[in-house]
Amino acid sequence: KIRVFLIRHGQSNANVLGGMGRSATTQLSGLGENQAILLGQYFKETGLKFDRVYSSTLIRASETARLACAQIGYDIQVVQSPELVEIHRGIWDGQNLLAQVTKENPDFYTAAFRAPGENAESYEDVEKRMYSWWQQTIGPLTSKNKQTCIGVFSHEVAIRCLIAKLLGIPLAEFMVTLQNTSFTEFRFEKGGWKIVQLNEIPHLHNSTRYESL
């Protein structure tokens, strides 16, 4: 049995300000750091142990991985991958323009829409990038008769695109808001992948404990 946890990073400073896209330099907010610690504590309390951990190269994802893994005693180097980064919004990247942009571009949430500017990506581009990483990194594990648990720390749009691809759902029909430090679990059993948890945040449900950190 193979278990893969797709985990969104904790709240970032850009999230607080409403920034769009990749925002390469943004870091976790104080709240985001606490969310990551609580996530790791939850995994430890439930007995979850990762055999391998991957993260985006962006600071907010790699820091979430570091803080969460410290709680569960994972002491193997986290493998950072540029394929796991967030969507690039072109000239809008990092800016608080979502309300304006979506109003001016009614096709913003369609799969093929691409922001203006160099290196901008569409949702389709991100889906292809994420699924290519999955096939190359996770796919080979299915041929091995070994129980494995994998943690993947990434970003909302990136994870959402991958989930849609794995489930065979059109991107336009899967615009789920994934919460900060939420996790989605896929399991490979009896020859196929199935989703068993989606956008879960049990570690944030106890508000007293959450606010005490």
Side-chain angles (χ1 to χ4, degrees):
K1 179 171 64 177
I2 303 170
R3 305 175 71 188
V4 180
F5 288 81
L6 304 176
I7 304 162
R8 188 189 177 196
H9 61 79
Q11 183 194 71
S12 69
N13 293 324
N15 291 152
V16 176
L17 298 174
M20 296 171 56
R22 191 166 295 182
S23 303
T25 60
T26 191
Q27 301 184 20
L28 292 178
S29 66
L31 179 60
E33 291 178 348
N34 289 343
Q35 291 172 334
I37 291 170
L38 283 171
L39 174 65
Q41 290 177 347
Y42 172 79
F43 284 157
K44 180 178 180 180
E45 291 169 2
T46 55
L48 183 70
K49 294 182 179 180
F50 291 129
D51 297 298
R52 181 66 62 91
V53 175
Y54 298 89
S55 86
S56 154
T57 54
L58 300 181
I59 297 171
R60 58 192 184 274
S62 61
E63 275 297 285
T64 301
R66 183 185 67 81
L67 291 169
C69 287
Q71 299 299 311
I72 60 176
Y74 180 87
D75 56 5
I76 305 173
Q77 183 176 2
V78 173
V79 180
Q80 294 190 13
S81 172
E83 287 82 6
L84 297 176
V85 298
E86 184 58 301
I87 188 172
H88 197 300
R89 294 293 191 187
I91 62 173
W92 301 326
D93 210 64
Q95 301 185 55
N96 183 9
L97 295 173
L98 183 60
Q100 175 185 335
V101 166
T102 53
K103 182 178 180 180
E104 296 174 353
N105 299 273
D107 58 343
F108 182 83
Y109 289 111
T110 59
F113 179 82
R114 183 180 289 108
E118 188 177 0
N119 299 321
E121 293 179 298
S122 68
Y123 289 106
E124 288 179 338
D125 294 333
V126 177
E127 182 183 72
K128 291 176 182 177
R129 164 164 59 80
M130 290 293 290
Y131 189 59
S132 175
W133 176 87
W134 178 276
Q135 289 181 305
Q136 294 175 20
T137 307
I138 305 299
L141 299 176
T142 61
S143 63
K144 300 178 181 179
N145 186 24
K146 181 180 179 182
Q147 292 196 11
T148 306
C149 187
I150 306 293
V152 181
F153 291 79
S154 186
H155 306 265
E156 182 180 20
V157 173
I159 293 173
R160 189 168 66 213
C161 289
L162 178 58
I163 294 172
K165 177 66 175 180
L166 293 173
L167 296 180
I169 300 174
L171 286 169
E173 298 177 14
F174 191 67
M175 287 298 170
V176 176
T177 298
L178 299 176
Q179 303 299 315
N180 288 117
T181 63
S182 65
F183 59 84
T184 296
E185 180 187 357
F186 279 87
R187 293 184 187 177
F188 187 82
E189 297 178 325
K190 298 179 180 179
W193 289 102
K194 67 176 182 179
I195 189 168
V196 294
Q197 298 187 84
L198 172 65
N199 199 23
E200 297 290 338
I201 49 170
H203 52 292
L204 304 185
H205 289 165
N206 188 331
S207 60
T208 301
R209 178 184 172 199
Y210 180 48
E211 293 169 0
S212 68
L213 283 175

